[in-house]
Amino acid sequence: MSEDFLLDVQIVPATSHDYDEVMSISGGIDCGLDYLPVSYHKWLADPQRRMFLAKFKKQVVSKVGFVSLLVVDGGEAAVAQKLRVALWMRGRGIVRLIQKHLSDTLCPRYREVTKVRLATSEHVPPTKLSKYQLIHSKVVVSVILPHDQLDHAVKLLKHRVQSAYGKQPLDALTPEEVLSLFENSRTAERLLPKGLLIQGWLPLSTHKSNLELLIQRGIVWFHSEHCEKTSDCESTTKSGDTSVTISSGFLSLGTPPISVPLGDGMHRFDIDLFGTDPVSAKKHILHQLIKGVQLLPLGAGVVCIFYAETSLHDELTNFCQGLTKFHFYKEQNVLEQDIKVLARH
């Protein structure tokens, strides 16, 4: 098919008046868990964020694409979020036009930005790796908990944790504790893939401005230490013939539940897990779920989405047996692209 029609497509800043048309091309996005409807107007007011539309110049129903761009890492990187193209225009070059515009926008306006990141649920084909670097991949496990099943779910998971590992309460970190945790560069090295915090689908470095952004958003942070076998440890100390194991941390981030288009008062609750210890993962999920349920409006239900290292997939699936599985994405892939490469495509 000829691409001459792309000459009639322009990329323009999104406004509050575009909300309805953006929503009209968003049907079915994220399996009914799209948070853009709730976030759209808040994002417009964010000085670190730009939002763009792809539109035909002269058509009444003109909007055919959307993307949001957030400048992060103290101005050295940007994250593309919520990219979408109208169903009837997919595969026709709209994404390429949007990417070109992002490059044209970033280069003169944000001269210190050197890279663009995005997180995608799609399997990354080799052809895409010629343009992007695959930073990290995680598995995604999701369950749906209607309001009348919340108490049962919490009790079930609490029983499984406490009967197997005993009562070991976790306390959420204060903002000061979050900042202090990452003052030590080794924390990021031990816990985070390629040094990135991935909150929901937002990949960030541990730059102080990013931590402050997440704190401002009300993210719930849990951190714990656990002992690993000597052979797995980063380093050990020895007294005679006795090896002493060191502790290795586990971190979780809970995004406050957000209303989604799924209906029936359903909310979306993202829990990001950092670490490979299955015992810690289960404890963190339990404590994040308890906190998340407390934040839900009266009568609301929730879809819980867990993002974890691939080695934890079977453990988490078994941990959630007896809860209703939600058919969401199965993997999360974080990609990064040099801004100069973006400009060429």
Side-chain angles (χ1 to χ4, degrees):
M1 179 178 179
S2 171
E3 293 188 355
D4 290 346
F5 76 93
L6 290 176
L7 298 175
D8 293 325
V9 178
Q10 60 183 161
I11 311 297
V12 299
T15 71
S16 59
H17 301 295
D18 298 311
Y19 178 84
D20 288 339
E21 280 201 74
V22 173
M23 294 306 110
S24 72
I25 65 170
S26 301
I29 295 287
D30 289 350
C31 308
L33 301 183
D34 186 18
Y35 53 81
L36 183 62
V38 174
S39 304
Y40 186 91
H41 294 290
K42 296 177 185 177
W43 284 5
L44 279 174
D46 185 346
Q48 293 299 107
R49 186 183 292 275
R50 303 291 302 279
M51 291 159 59
F52 300 100
L53 294 172
K55 59 174 290 187
F56 281 106
K57 298 174 183 178
K58 299 179 181 180
Q59 295 187 16
V60 176
V61 181
S62 61
K63 311 302 189 299
V64 293
F66 172 87
V67 71
S68 173
L69 192 71
L70 179 66
V71 177
V72 298
D73 296 7
E76 296 182 358
V79 179
Q81 291 183 282
K82 290 300 173 184
L83 174 66
R84 61 198 59 198
V85 174
L87 183 62
W88 61 92
M89 288 298 297
R90 292 175 189 172
R92 298 187 180 182
I94 300 298
V95 170
R96 188 168 66 251
L97 278 183
I98 291 174
Q99 289 178 325
K100 176 66 166 58
H101 184 80
L102 293 185
S103 172
D104 293 344
T105 298
L106 285 170
C107 290
R109 185 181 177 93
Y110 302 101
R111 296 186 181 277
E112 295 182 359
V113 171
T114 60
K115 64 192 77 171
V116 176
R117 299 189 198 107
L118 69 152
T120 176
S121 62
E122 299 174 352
H123 175 71
V124 184
T127 53
K128 201 163 190 176
L129 293 178
S130 65
K131 305 174 186 177
Y132 295 91
Q133 178 185 2
L134 177 61
I135 300 297
H136 194 62
S137 296
K138 283 188 166 185
V139 296
V140 183
V141 177
S142 310
V143 295
I144 183 168
L145 305 175
H147 174 71
D148 59 2
Q149 297 179 21
L150 286 175
D151 287 345
H152 166 73
V154 172
K155 290 177 181 177
L156 176 65
L157 298 185
K158 182 182 292 186
H159 172 74
R160 288 176 177 169
V161 168
Q162 293 182 353
S163 61
Y165 316 115
K167 293 184 178 181
Q168 296 182 11
L170 292 175
D171 293 321
L173 300 183
T174 65
E176 294 75 20
E177 289 171 332
V178 171
L179 296 176
S180 176
L181 179 65
F182 290 99
E183 286 179 355
N184 185 343
S185 60
R186 293 190 68 191
T187 300
E189 293 174 5
R190 288 192 300 131
L191 283 175
L192 307 178
K194 302 295 177 65
L196 287 182
L197 274 169
I198 308 168
Q199 179 260 319
W201 296 80
L202 178 64
L204 304 167
S205 75
T206 57
H207 191 282
K208 185 178 179 181
S209 63
N210 294 336
L211 300 177
E212 292 172 340
L213 172 66
L214 297 183
I215 290 169
Q216 183 182 12
R217 290 184 174 182
I219 302 301
V220 176
W221 305 68
F222 284 110
H223 178 252
S224 61
E225 299 286 340
H226 68 276
C227 291
E228 294 184 334
K229 296 177 182 179
T230 301
S231 60
D232 296 331
C233 289
E234 216 174 286
S235 63
T236 61
T237 60
K238 291 188 177 182
S239 176
D241 295 328
T242 304
S243 296
V244 181
T245 62
I246 63 170
S247 61
S248 178
F250 198 96
L251 177 71
S252 65
L253 276 61
T255 302
I258 186 169
S259 177
V260 291
L262 192 61
D264 296 325
M266 296 303 295
H267 286 59
R268 168 180 177 155
F269 182 34
D270 292 49
I271 300 176
D272 298 282
L273 303 170
F274 301 91
T276 57
D277 177 54
V279 175
S280 297
K282 295 170 189 178
K283 292 176 181 177
H284 278 245
I285 286 176
L286 171 62
H287 286 83
Q288 288 285 4
L289 181 58
I290 292 172
K291 281 284 188 181
V293 169
Q294 292 172 353
L295 297 173
L296 285 172
L298 187 65
V302 67
V303 175
C304 297
I305 310 169
F306 314 131
Y307 306 88
E309 298 304 314
T310 54
S311 61
L312 293 175
H313 178 268
D314 292 346
E315 289 276 0
L316 296 187
T317 301
N318 291 335
F319 183 55
C320 294
Q321 280 189 352
L323 306 179
T324 304
K325 181 179 179 180
F326 185 80
H327 294 285
F328 192 54
Y329 306 124
K330 295 181 179 180
E331 62 181 313
Q332 178 192 65
N333 298 302
V334 177
L335 305 175
E336 189 173 272
Q337 187 176 49
D338 185 279
I339 190 67
K340 295 179 182 178
V341 175
L342 179 65
R344 292 200 298 268
H345 293 280

